[in-house]
């Protein structure tokens, strides 16, 4: 029971629907920030047949309670996890991480089944056994790798590798004529459950490749693989090349459409700016025009003022009544040519007596007008 609780605490279950940073969710309990740590492994995990074991010391298996409380550094809890680990992915790494964190002091041993066992009991693999061994060796949580691991764990194998607990997900694994190959391990109290990572598995990855086979075949043809290496027929090879050319043409057309859209958008933006500027200038022009030529514009006031000045200039100046009388100098007499009589020049006294019908015009003085011209004032007698 304590192992189950410990497994739940250390489980980082990833959901496919709402992945977070590095595929994690809020349920994982991963802190958003953590201090930088330079501690890391520099060498891959060794193989079990390369490690020297001292069999002179007796090995006593620890209980679940002792393992949960923590063991001395020189006596770690030896946890075993096995699998095929084909196309090693994050689901495998997370399962091994959970196994590593089951107890405070854990030494993780990972068994990898050979190609012969895997092909007989499960099916054909994408990676061969050496590639799968190497992939598991370079997982940071692994301390030791067992090559050619058995399909069903025997007491002799558990004793040989001094295994305390076996870690695996608690879903019954039916294979090799058994409903659950881990049934006897569970009955012995040596089973420590882990949690599967939803949304990713080797079968899922292979399904993606098979489903999009044409896409990946074309991809590898572009990268230089031959049709023979890809096991592609001559007709399919030509078909893939034709599809590739069609896709390139489509991409070019799409790029041209995007560029034309960008150009049209820029032209629209510039035209809108020009229209706005034109509207502003037209408003300014109309406002200036109305200020000049409108009903109460400046032009009307100018015309009124000019008209008043003209009338004032044309009308004679009225002299004030109390102004002193200006003495006029005597001017020569003039007689109209159509008058019948001619009289000799007479003295001023005789002129006052003789007032004939003749019209005499006396030229008085020249008066300067407001416009700067001189007006001739005359009196008719």
């Amino acid at each position: 029971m304590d192992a189950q609780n410990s497994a739940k605490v250390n489980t980082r279950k990833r959901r496919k629907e709402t992945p977070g940073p590095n595929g994690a969710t809020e349920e994982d309990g991963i802190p958003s920030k953590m201090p930088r740590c330079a501690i890391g492994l520099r060498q891959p995990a060794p193989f079990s047949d390369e490690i020297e074991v001292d069999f002179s010391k007796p090995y006593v298996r620890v209980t679940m309670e002792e393992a949960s409380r923590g063991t001395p550094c020189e006596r770690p809890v030896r946890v075993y996890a096995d699998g095929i680990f084909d196309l090693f992915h994050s689901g495998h790494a997370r399962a091994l991480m959970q196994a590593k964190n089951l107890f405070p002091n854990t030494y993780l041993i990972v068994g990898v089944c050979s190609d012969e066992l895997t092909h007989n009991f499960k099916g054909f693999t994408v990676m061969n056994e050496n590639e799968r061994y190497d992939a598991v060796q370079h997982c940071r949580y692994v301390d030791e790798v067992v090559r050619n691991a058995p399909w069903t764990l025997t007491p002799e194998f558990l004793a040989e590798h001094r295994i305390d607990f076996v870690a695996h997900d608690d879903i019954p694994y039916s294979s090799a004529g058994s409903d659950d190959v881990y049934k006897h391990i569970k009955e012995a109290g040596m089973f420590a459950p882990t949690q599967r990572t939803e949304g990713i598995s080797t079968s899922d990855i292979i399904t993606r490749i098979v489903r999009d086979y044409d896409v990946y075949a074309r991809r590898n043809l572009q990268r230089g693989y031959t049709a023979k290496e890809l096991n592609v027929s001559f007709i399919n090879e030509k078909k893939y090349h034709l599809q590739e050319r069609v896709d390139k043409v489509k991409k070019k057309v799409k790029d041209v459409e995007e560029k034309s859209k960008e150009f049209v958008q820029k032209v629209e933006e510039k035209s809108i700016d020009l229209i706005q500027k034109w509207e502003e200038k037209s408003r300014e022009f109309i406002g200036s025009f109305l200020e000049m030529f409108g009903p109460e514009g400046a032009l009307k006031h100018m015309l009124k003022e000019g008209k008043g000045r003209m009338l004032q200039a044309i009308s004679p100046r009225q002299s004030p009544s109390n102004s002193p009388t200006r003495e006029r100098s005597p001017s020569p007499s003039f007689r109209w040519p159509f008058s019948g009589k001619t009289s000799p020049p007479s003295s001023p006294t005789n002129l006052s007596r003789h007032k004939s019908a003749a019209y005499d015009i006396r030229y008085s003085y020249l008066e300067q007008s407001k416009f700067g011209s001189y007006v001739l004032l005359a009196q008719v007698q």
Side-chain angles (χ1 to χ4, degrees):
M1 191 68 181
D2 294 337
Q4 293 179 356
N5 295 333
S6 178
K8 290 181 180 179
V9 171
N10 293 284
T11 296
R12 293 185 176 181
K13 183 177 180 181
R14 187 183 68 173
R15 293 186 178 181
K16 189 176 180 180
E17 291 78 14
T18 56
N22 297 325
T25 61
E26 295 180 357
E27 296 181 1
D28 293 341
I30 301 175
S32 57
K33 297 289 183 181
M34 60 183 301
R36 186 182 298 275
C37 181
I39 299 175
L41 301 177
R42 298 179 180 273
Q43 300 293 332
F47 293 112
S48 59
D49 52 5
E50 298 175 348
I51 300 175
E52 185 178 354
V53 182
D54 185 9
F55 291 99
S56 61
K57 296 180 180 180
Y59 187 83
V60 180
R61 194 178 72 84
V62 298
T63 63
M64 185 69 70
E65 294 180 357
E66 292 174 345
S68 300
R69 285 196 304 265
T71 57
C73 295
E74 65 276 5
R75 176 58 177 91
V77 180
R78 296 174 66 86
V79 177
Y80 177 80
D82 59 357
I84 309 302
F85 302 105
D86 190 21
L87 297 176
F88 192 87
H89 50 75
S90 62
H92 295 141
R94 285 176 176 271
L96 298 179
M97 179 188 67
Q98 294 175 53
K100 181 69 173 179
N101 291 296
L102 283 172
F103 307 106
N105 185 18
T106 303
Y107 183 85
L108 181 60
I109 306 168
V110 180
V112 182
C113 298
S114 64
D115 288 343
E116 182 181 0
L117 282 176
T118 305
H119 297 166
N120 289 335
F121 292 106
K122 191 168 184 178
F124 190 75
T125 58
V126 178
M127 302 169 63
N128 59 45
E129 57 184 22
N130 292 325
E131 293 170 339
R132 293 185 285 113
Y133 296 156
D134 188 65
V136 175
Q137 264 190 300
H138 290 83
C139 179
R140 64 183 298 178
Y141 309 109
V142 179
D143 298 306
E144 182 181 333
V145 177
V146 178
R147 291 181 286 194
N148 193 16
W151 197 261
T152 302
L153 301 178
T154 60
E156 293 78 14
F157 179 84
L158 297 175
E160 178 185 355
H161 293 278
R162 302 187 174 191
I163 296 171
D164 295 317
F165 298 97
V166 177
H168 200 275
D169 61 83
D170 55 358
I171 300 174
Y173 194 87
S174 59
S175 179
S178 174
D179 294 336
D180 188 2
V181 295
Y182 297 102
K183 183 178 180 181
H184 63 289
I185 302 295
K186 294 177 181 177
E187 291 174 352
M190 298 177 62
F191 188 79
T194 58
Q195 186 70 35
R196 290 180 64 89
T197 300
E198 299 296 334
I200 186 169
S201 66
T202 302
S203 300
D204 291 339
I205 295 173
I206 295 174
T207 301
R208 297 178 200 172
I209 297 173
V210 173
R211 181 185 58 200
D212 301 326
Y213 169 78
D214 290 348
V215 175
Y216 294 110
R218 289 167 54 188
R219 170 187 178 274
N220 282 9
L221 285 173
Q222 293 174 13
R223 293 179 176 270
Y225 289 89
T226 63
K228 185 178 180 180
E229 291 174 332
L230 296 174
N231 196 22
V232 174
S233 64
F234 176 79
I235 296 175
N236 286 337
E237 180 185 6
K238 298 302 178 184
K239 182 184 74 173
Y240 293 147
H241 285 305
L242 179 61
Q243 290 177 350
E244 183 63 26
R245 292 176 184 175
V246 171
D247 289 345
K248 287 182 178 179
V249 173
K250 288 181 179 179
K251 185 178 179 181
K252 289 182 179 179
V253 172
K254 187 176 180 181
D255 293 340
V256 171
E257 288 180 354
E258 291 179 355
K259 290 181 179 179
S260 61
K261 287 180 180 179
E262 292 178 358
F263 177 75
V264 171
Q265 186 176 0
K266 290 180 180 179
V267 171
E268 289 179 353
E269 291 176 356
K270 290 184 178 180
S271 61
I272 291 171
D273 293 339
L274 290 174
I275 291 172
Q276 291 178 352
K277 291 180 180 178
W278 183 82
E279 289 179 351
E280 292 176 359
K281 295 295 182 182
S282 62
R283 291 192 190 98
E284 293 177 1
F285 176 77
I286 292 171
S288 302
F289 184 84
L290 292 176
E291 288 179 1
M292 178 62 69
F293 300 101
E296 300 296 331
L299 182 61
K300 185 174 181 181
H301 292 291
M302 290 172 62
L303 292 175
K304 286 183 179 180
E305 185 177 355
K307 184 178 179 182
R309 289 181 179 179
M310 290 177 65
L311 293 175
Q312 187 176 1
I314 294 172
S315 61
R317 181 182 295 178
Q318 298 291 336
S319 57
S321 58
N322 56 357
S323 62
T325 304
R326 181 181 298 175
E327 293 182 358
R328 298 179 181 177
S329 60
S331 58
S333 297
F334 175 79
R335 187 175 295 275
W336 294 99
F338 51 80
S339 60
K341 295 180 181 181
T342 61
S343 60
S346 58
S347 62
T349 56
N350 293 330
L351 288 174
S352 60
R353 295 176 183 177
H354 301 283
K355 292 182 182 180
S356 60
Y359 295 92
D360 294 334
I361 298 177
R362 297 182 180 272
Y363 296 97
S364 62
Y365 58 93
L366 294 174
E367 183 177 358
Q368 187 177 5
S369 67
K370 292 182 179 179
F371 291 98
S373 59
Y374 290 90
V375 180
L376 180 63
L377 300 180
Q379 292 182 352
V380 182
Q381 295 180 351

